[in-house]
Amino acid sequence: MLTESPREQWGSKLGFILAAAGSAIGLGNIWKFPYIAGENGGSSFIIIYLICIAVIGLPVLVGEILLGRTTQRNPVGAFKALNGSKFWAGVGGMGVVAGFLILSFYAVIAGWSIGYIYQSISGDFFQYADPAKAADHFVALTKDVVWIVSYFALFMIITMSVVYAGVQKGIERGSKIMMPLLLLLLIFVMIRGITLPGSGEGLKFIFNPDWSHVNGQTILIALGHAFFTLSMGMGAMLTYGSYMSKKDSVLSSAIQIVILDTFIALIAGVAIFTSVFAVGLDASGGPGLIFHTLPAVFTIMPGGQIIGTIFFILLTIAALTSAISLLEVITAYFIDEKGWSRHKAVIVFGTVTFIIGLPSALSFNVLADFNIFGKNFFDLVDYLASNILLPLGGLFIAIFIAYVWKFDKALIALKDGSEKIFNKNPLIITLWQIFIKYFAPVLIFLVLLSSIGVL
Ligand code: PFF
């Protein structure tokens, strides 16, 4: 059943770009990217990551947004509209499920970020100049069920209120305020990092390639991260694309989103590594880099309390604009396919996501010893969604566009709004064809094999 009321749309192209960049820019850029770059040799990893973004990320992102814009539907409806088979509707459904799963653990980490704003303002974590002590403090906080669940709930409520307000009044308006603020705050933190004595070591780490660290695994990690950071493979970009006007260019929007996302990841890397190196700490702190190493950095560096507070505010904003896009996928599905009202869909599925996320939140305390396939619940959901469902979704999107919907038809749809760009640069068409037909499917397939341990 389809809804009677007209489908919502973005108010402007800029609104779409900011909302989509908001989805892309998140914990992936500020929490995950710096630590995986830190663990994999810094700049050499970054170069490989940039290549992955250009040859796989951008072409598949263009395709995903295009599917949404062409059909003006949620992920399930989009595949159904272009191909009647149950299989492809199931692929869309897999995206909706992945969105649920990602949001359920993503909001737990985002909750820590809100908690750390308070930690920073109250000065609680400024007693830990030693990262090992800061780590103990973090572990103690996450062992506290009330602490972890309340901040998780708070973050879900904020996310739900934005999505509840609608595409233009909630998501677009929120992104127009939050995204410029995020950029400003991050640049401020970066300038503080660069101006610290000894920050040059951090810059060297990011900009002087060290190829000795690079192996097959590095490439696979970089490619896997390209999906997560661009919110690709589960229909978030497809759903945002479905609110886009046919007059606007999918190609130029996708390029701008990719540039913004990459730029923010690099600034976050510079901000974090210059600070970490300046105070003489270890850059390969892993997932704890932000919650263990950085509090120690903020304790040591002059002006650290203000910078620390700003940092966790910006991290929360980044997480919020991404979480909104995750909840919007489920919401759009229930509005389009089941005829639900936006308000009902948000309240029901925001609550369901919270319930599904509880075992993830409890993985750090009461369920710490509960392991499935050697992973706790949190790690399992993260692994399943980020390493399996997203690449699988991306693989299907590339195959669908190239071989099921067919490249030529997709190209006609892509030309809407992009005529000028194509007339000036016809080579883009050939490149998109090669990447979406051959590069993307083959490389993503390799990532998947490595994710399930075959490679
Ligand atoms: N791109 C987000 C980040 O980098 O944090 C994470 C994400 C958001 C993944 C939305 C997938 C998604 F649909």
Side-chain angles (χ1 to χ4, degrees):
M1 186 172 71
L2 297 178
T3 39
E4 311 280 311
S5 49
R7 193 174 165 77
E8 295 176 90
Q9 279 226 326
W10 302 112
S12 63
K13 184 180 172 203
L14 179 70
F16 164 67
I17 290 174
L18 289 179
S23 169
I25 298 164
L27 295 171
N29 303 60
I30 301 169
W31 166 66
K32 213 168 188 183
F33 174 73
Y35 92 71
I36 53 176
E39 283 180 335
N40 290 284
S43 54
S44 38
F45 173 84
I46 295 177
I47 293 173
I48 294 175
Y49 164 79
L50 292 177
I51 297 173
C52 291
I53 290 279
V55 299
I56 310 286
L58 183 60
V60 178
L61 182 66
V62 167
E64 184 171 333
I65 298 176
L66 182 66
L67 280 176
R69 207 239 342 225
T70 307
T71 57
Q72 307 272 302
R73 285 278 170 275
N74 66 87
V76 176
F79 283 108
K80 265 203 222 155
L82 294 170
N83 178 289
S85 86
K86 282 225 168 77
F87 175 80
W88 289 103
V91 169
M94 186 179 83
V96 177
V97 172
F100 244 131
L101 292 179
I102 295 179
L103 183 56
S104 75
F105 74 84
Y106 198 85
V108 174
I109 312 176
W112 301 344
S113 179
I114 306 186
Y116 265 62
I117 298 176
Y118 177 76
Q119 290 282 311
S120 196
I121 292 174
S122 67
D124 273 6
F125 71 42
F126 293 105
Q127 317 150 34
Y128 307 106
D130 172 3
K133 295 237 169 66
D136 289 344
H137 179 62
F138 173 73
V139 170
L141 285 174
T142 50
K143 279 218 162 101
D144 179 347
V145 174
V146 177
W147 188 85
I148 206 165
V149 172
S150 330
Y151 280 117
F152 170 36
L154 177 63
F155 182 79
M156 278 309 300
I157 291 169
I158 303 173
T159 305
M160 285 162 70
S161 17
V162 179
V163 180
Y164 188 91
V167 173
Q168 270 192 33
K169 292 206 184 105
I171 305 176
E172 183 166 355
R173 191 191 280 171
S175 306
K176 279 187 170 161
I177 301 168
M178 289 189 278
M179 293 312 288
L181 184 64
L182 166 69
L183 188 65
L184 261 173
L185 295 181
L186 193 56
I187 289 179
F188 184 75
V189 178
M190 180 188 74
I191 292 175
R192 171 71 278 207
I194 295 179
T195 52
L196 286 170
S199 62
E201 283 306 306
L203 291 176
K204 253 196 232 155
F205 181 69
I206 303 178
F207 295 113
N208 278 0
D210 168 8
W211 297 104
S212 67
H213 276 89
V214 175
N215 53 34
Q217 199 60 23
T218 323
I219 301 172
L220 297 173
I221 294 175
L223 188 52
H225 185 63
F227 272 91
F228 189 79
T229 192
L230 292 177
S231 305
M232 260 168 28
M234 43 91 27
M237 289 299 184
L238 186 156
T239 305
Y240 273 16
S242 75
Y243 304 128
M244 202 179 167
S245 145
K246 300 239 154 108
K247 293 196 301 286
D248 294 331
S249 164
V250 170
L251 185 65
S252 85
S253 307
I255 292 174
Q256 291 176 60
I257 295 162
V258 167
I259 290 176
L260 279 170
D261 184 75
T262 309
F263 183 61
I264 295 279
L266 291 177
I267 301 185
V270 170
I272 291 171
F273 290 124
T274 48
S275 315
V276 169
F277 277 91
V279 299
L281 292 178
D282 185 9
S284 56
L289 185 65
I290 273 192
F291 295 101
H292 305 172
T293 314
L294 277 193
V297 172
F298 295 137
T299 307
I300 302 168
M301 78 162 60
Q305 184 162 15
I306 297 173
I307 300 290
T309 309
I310 292 179
F311 179 82
F312 286 107
I313 291 177
L314 77 85
L315 183 65
T316 306
I317 293 177
L320 180 60
T321 49
S322 299
I324 289 168
S325 71
L326 288 162
L327 186 56
E328 180 61 21
V329 175
I330 309 157
T331 306
Y333 170 73
F334 276 87
I335 297 176
D336 288 348
E337 302 298 312
K338 308 282 173 200
W340 284 28
S341 76
R342 167 170 291 275
H343 292 176
K344 178 175 162 193
V346 170
I347 292 175
V348 170
F349 289 98
T351 312
V352 172
T353 311
F354 174 72
I355 295 168
I356 296 178
L358 279 176
S360 283
L362 299 180
S363 296
F364 296 88
N365 34 69
V366 282
L367 293 182
D369 295 327
F370 177 73
N371 282 343
I372 312 169
F373 302 122
K375 288 185 173 8
N376 69 24
F377 193 84
F378 179 98
D379 291 336
L380 187 75
V381 178
D382 179 9
Y383 182 80
L384 180 70
S386 316
N387 296 44
I388 311 239
L389 295 181
L390 289 190
L392 197 59
L395 176 66
F396 281 133
I397 288 172
I399 292 178
F400 185 83
I401 289 177
Y403 305 105
V404 181
W405 184 20
K406 298 256 169 16
F407 181 80
D408 292 343
K409 280 200 197 140
L411 188 62
I412 294 171
L414 185 65
K415 281 186 176 158
D416 282 336
S418 299
E419 296 86 353
K420 273 195 208 137
I421 310 179
F422 284 140
N423 289 341
K424 263 199 203 152
N425 312 288
L427 180 65
I428 293 180
I429 298 177
T430 319
L431 287 178
W432 192 50
Q433 183 168 20
I434 296 172
F435 288 144
I436 204 104
K437 274 188 162 170
Y438 311 110
F439 269 62
V442 172
L443 285 172
I444 301 169
F445 188 63
L446 291 179
V447 175
L448 272 166
L449 289 185
S450 106
S451 289
I452 52 173
V454 177
L455 270 187

